[in-house]
Amino acid sequence: MESQRTFLLIGLLLVSFLLFSEWQDEQAQSKAEPSAVTQVATSPSNTDQADIPASSEADVPVAQTQAVRSVITVSTDVLAVKIDTKGGDIVEAKLLQHAETHGSDIPYLLLGEFDGKQYLAQSGLIGLNGPDASSAGRPVYQTEQSAYTLSGDELRVPLSYVDSKGVQFTKTFVFKAGKYDVSMEYDVVNATDNPVQVQLYTQIKRSAQDKDSMVDQTYLGTAYGTQDEPYEKYSFDEMREANLNKNTLGGYVSFIQHYFVSAWVPKQDINNTIYTSIRNNQGIIGAKGEPVNIQANSEAKLSAIYYMGPKDTDALEALHDDLDLTVDYGWLWFISQPLLVLLKMLYGILGNWGLAIIGITILVKTLLYPLTKAQYTSMAKMRALQPKMQQLKERYGDDRQKFGQAMMEMYRKEKVNPMGGCFPLLLQMPIFLALFYVFLESTELRHAEFGLWLTDLSAMDPYYVLPILFGASMFLTQKLQPMTITDPMQQKMMTYMPVVFSIFFIWFPSGLVLYWLVSNLISIAQMLIIYRGMEKKGIKVRD
């Protein structure tokens, strides 16, 4: 088992490479996302009639209301939104509490139309008498104001439309202070002598982003949830192969990206059809509700909720039990989510995300101390058995079978597990991976400052201080550990391993490197304590 430590470090390097690739993918993805510094179209968006989902055959005459198409603006304490009066689509959304880049005064642009690309939130009424199903095109709503500003806890933005039969449609967006979710309410008043039928649809439209290279984003696309599938991704490539068509009670549709998400949550007590389509490199995911029959001289209300903002797990879960899964922690989500809760608690106490990372590292290393002790104890015992191991090699020469049997018998008598140094480290890897996704996915760490030169824990260390310190701590750890490797080539590999990791970690987010550095420093302290105790018992640990 001389090469077990080399095997572990190579495995660790491989895992680090995979994590680095994932982080690079996320960075490439974020660069491909909308940028507020890009010229944004100020004219009404191109909401093509072909975007509207199919419904039962429509019989909607040319509208009676004649309105001039325009774009109205809505401002709250967290959102700056533009709504196209044609169709009542949200065609632009800026997040006022999130900067485009670190230190910038320009708010982050989540939705918009720029450079021939679109990212819109659409909604409307189809069905036999839905205005959005008219052959004349989507309705142009009328508004009392061209600009709305939130001054209290709630802001209502009504858009009205009357068709040629006299059916009145009022589409109202309800904004709330401090909230990124917007309620969309339809009031349909049928003042005619005949029944009408409408069907609510809500959808998100975005230009497909193709991969340009191996380091381009691994995923930038849609996701949905149904009664049976809490969270499923559906990529642009999957859209090109087949359109999604699923019936479910409740559900949601979303578009996810690094740190941010937009999602429609329809009413959860009705059956909805989740669908996708793609045309001219424009991908759409949406949900259609059930057809609603409105009798003569009566009215009906239809509604849905749209979220456009950061991946805030608490806010998302409040809208839908499974919507927080769009904060994608991978298959280790059951570890990542508690770690994020713990990280937030520490931030609430310490008031600094860097200190919170140090605090969670201390807690994790303390909880894993029994595994760490088992790991270092096993390595020390293996080191103490090296003279006996050499004797067995000399005794049995090239007879590998007898040597193996004798070696296992020696392990049994000495009560040493040859894999005892591997298993504890392997058991710690899921926690490290889970923390990696916490640092990668959590919006709270975007542009989070620590102090001094570390002004953004989600970005690489600009002066490479942490990677260098990490390499030094790894080198010191190697010097303190009992050496069980006798092969000169493997020893040389071990010598250069800290240099390789230091170079490799240059491109890692500084928050993750901070975690590893502190983890190494704590491991060194724990190692010294464990070895001192073993040496007191007469067990030789180091030369």
Side-chain angles (χ1 to χ4, degrees):
M1 306 308 297
E2 291 182 348
S3 62
Q4 69 167 281
R5 186 160 63 172
T6 302
F7 166 76
L8 287 173
L9 283 174
I10 292 175
L12 191 60
L13 186 62
L14 177 61
V15 171
S16 300
F17 173 75
L18 294 175
L19 295 179
F20 171 70
S21 299
E22 179 73 13
W23 182 72
Q24 284 286 82
D25 291 340
E26 292 287 354
Q27 295 304 302
Q29 169 179 312
S30 62
K31 290 177 182 178
E33 291 166 2
S35 172
V37 298
T38 307
Q39 180 64 38
V40 179
T42 56
S43 59
S45 66
N46 179 20
T47 52
D48 199 313
Q49 188 72 11
D51 296 339
I52 309 306
S55 62
S56 47
E57 186 177 354
D59 184 25
V60 183
V62 178
Q64 177 178 324
T65 299
Q66 299 296 325
V68 178
R69 183 183 182 184
S70 62
V71 172
I72 62 174
T73 61
V74 181
S75 299
T76 73
D77 55 335
V78 296
L79 291 169
V81 171
K82 291 183 179 180
I83 301 174
D84 189 347
T85 57
K86 182 176 181 179
D89 296 336
I90 299 176
V91 297
E92 183 179 304
K94 293 180 179 179
L95 310 184
L96 303 181
Q97 303 298 319
H98 296 266
E100 175 68 23
T101 57
H102 184 262
S104 170
D105 294 330
I106 302 174
Y108 186 82
L109 179 69
L110 182 62
L111 305 183
E113 190 170 352
F114 44 89
D115 293 343
K117 298 180 180 180
Q118 292 181 323
Y119 186 10
L120 316 171
Q122 301 178 312
S123 56
L125 295 176
I126 51 178
L128 286 174
N129 308 105
D132 289 272
S134 170
S135 58
R138 302 186 67 198
V140 177
Y141 290 89
Q142 291 181 323
T143 58
E144 296 180 355
Q145 303 172 210
S146 60
Y148 294 81
T149 302
L150 176 71
S151 58
D153 294 331
E154 181 178 287
L155 172 64
R156 300 181 68 87
V157 180
L159 296 83
S160 61
Y161 171 79
V162 180
D163 70 13
S164 61
K165 291 184 177 180
V167 181
Q168 300 176 17
F169 301 89
T170 303
K171 183 177 187 178
T172 304
F173 291 96
V174 183
F175 296 83
K176 294 183 179 179
K179 299 290 186 180
Y180 292 97
D181 54 284
V182 180
S183 296
M184 189 274 298
E185 303 172 352
Y186 262 108
D187 291 310
V188 183
V189 179
N190 180 15
T192 71
D193 296 330
N194 299 306
V196 297
Q197 184 192 87
V198 296
Q199 185 179 10
L200 177 64
Y201 77 91
T202 53
Q203 64 185 31
I204 303 169
K205 175 183 176 181
R206 180 161 183 169
S207 300
Q209 182 67 44
D210 296 319
K211 295 181 179 181
D212 297 323
S213 65
M214 291 182 62
V215 297
D216 204 354
Q217 72 275 5
T218 54
Y219 188 76
L220 173 68
T222 66
Y224 67 91
T226 67
Q227 193 174 22
D228 300 322
E229 301 168 300
Y231 173 70
E232 292 291 332
K233 294 178 181 178
Y234 206 75
S235 67
F236 289 118
D237 288 339
E238 289 174 302
M239 287 187 196
R240 293 185 180 101
E241 293 178 3
N243 286 330
L244 187 67
N245 186 24
K246 287 182 175 288
N247 295 317
T248 181
L249 180 67
Y252 68 87
V253 296
S254 68
F255 204 110
I256 59 177
Q257 62 189 70
H258 197 198
Y259 294 128
F260 303 100
V261 61
S262 68
W264 278 110
V265 182
K267 291 183 70 66
Q268 298 299 295
D269 57 353
I270 64 172
N271 289 314
N272 295 290
T273 300
I274 293 177
Y275 61 89
T276 63
S277 65
I278 190 165
R279 187 176 63 88
N280 297 329
N281 212 36
Q282 302 283 324
I284 289 176
I285 187 168
K288 292 186 293 186
E290 301 170 332
V292 176
N293 294 309
I294 308 170
Q295 299 304 315
N297 298 304
S298 62
E299 61 182 275
K301 296 182 182 294
L302 302 90
S303 64
I305 297 174
Y306 182 63
Y307 182 90
M308 44 183 164
K311 289 180 176 178
D312 184 327
T313 53
D314 294 335
L316 294 170
E317 190 175 14
L319 299 178
H320 190 285
D321 290 341
D322 301 321
L323 192 56
D324 63 317
L325 297 178
T326 56
V327 186
D328 194 352
Y329 294 126
W331 64 277
L332 290 171
W333 59 269
F334 56 93
I335 301 177
S336 296
Q337 287 184 343
L339 287 175
L340 177 60
V341 172
L342 180 58
L343 190 65
K344 287 181 177 180
M345 290 176 57
L346 291 172
Y347 174 75
I349 297 172
L350 301 172
N352 182 287
W353 286 110
L355 294 178
I357 290 174
I358 294 174
I360 200 171
T361 309
I362 294 173
L363 289 176
V364 168
K365 292 295 291 184
T366 300
L367 291 174
L368 294 178
Y369 178 73
L371 293 177
T372 303
K373 184 176 181 180
Q375 174 188 347
Y376 291 142
T377 300
S378 176
M379 294 175 67
K381 288 183 177 180
M382 289 290 293
R383 171 66 179 83
L385 290 177
Q386 287 301 305
K388 293 183 179 181
M389 184 78 72
Q390 188 62 35
Q391 292 175 6
L392 291 178
K393 287 183 178 180
E394 294 173 356
R395 181 184 303 174
Y396 295 105
D398 296 331
D399 193 336
R400 300 183 65 86
Q401 183 176 359
K402 289 185 178 180
F403 171 72
Q405 292 174 348
M407 182 176 63
M408 296 307 296
E409 179 63 20
M410 178 186 68
Y411 287 151
R412 186 185 64 80
K413 288 182 179 180
E414 298 291 340
K415 298 180 180 180
V416 173
N417 181 358
M419 296 298 293
C422 296
F423 285 133
L425 182 59
L426 292 177
L427 290 174
Q428 295 177 55
M429 288 308 296
I431 296 178
F432 167 72
L433 290 170
L435 275 172
F436 171 82
Y437 280 104
V438 168
F439 296 152
L440 186 68
E441 279 287 295
S442 301
T443 307
E444 292 85 353
L445 292 175
R446 181 178 185 262
H447 299 168
E449 295 189 11
F450 179 25
L452 300 177
W453 74 98
L454 294 175
T455 58
D456 186 356
L457 292 171
S458 66
M460 58 181 284
D461 185 335
Y463 302 110
Y464 318 131
V465 175
L466 290 182
I468 293 173
L469 291 177
F470 170 81
S473 69
M474 189 175 181
F475 178 79
L476 181 58
T477 300
Q478 286 187 356
K479 290 299 182 182
L480 292 175
Q481 285 179 342
M483 178 61 70
T484 60
I485 298 175
T486 57
D487 181 70
M489 182 60 69
Q490 293 186 30
Q491 288 182 347
K492 186 173 292 186
M493 287 177 59
M494 295 292 294
T495 301
Y496 287 106
M497 198 65 72
V499 178
V500 173
F501 270 88
S502 291
I503 296 174
F504 199 64
F505 275 26
I506 285 176
W507 292 277
F508 264 60
S510 55
L512 187 64
V513 184
L514 176 64
Y515 165 78
W516 262 30
L517 171 61
V518 176
S519 180
N520 272 5
L521 295 177
I522 296 173
S523 294
I524 291 172
Q526 291 177 338
M527 188 189 311
L528 293 174
I529 294 173
I530 293 169
Y531 289 166
R532 188 177 294 114
M534 294 181 68
E535 289 171 349
K536 288 181 179 179
K537 295 179 181 179
I539 301 176
K540 185 178 180 181
V541 178
R542 297 181 297 272
D543 293 329

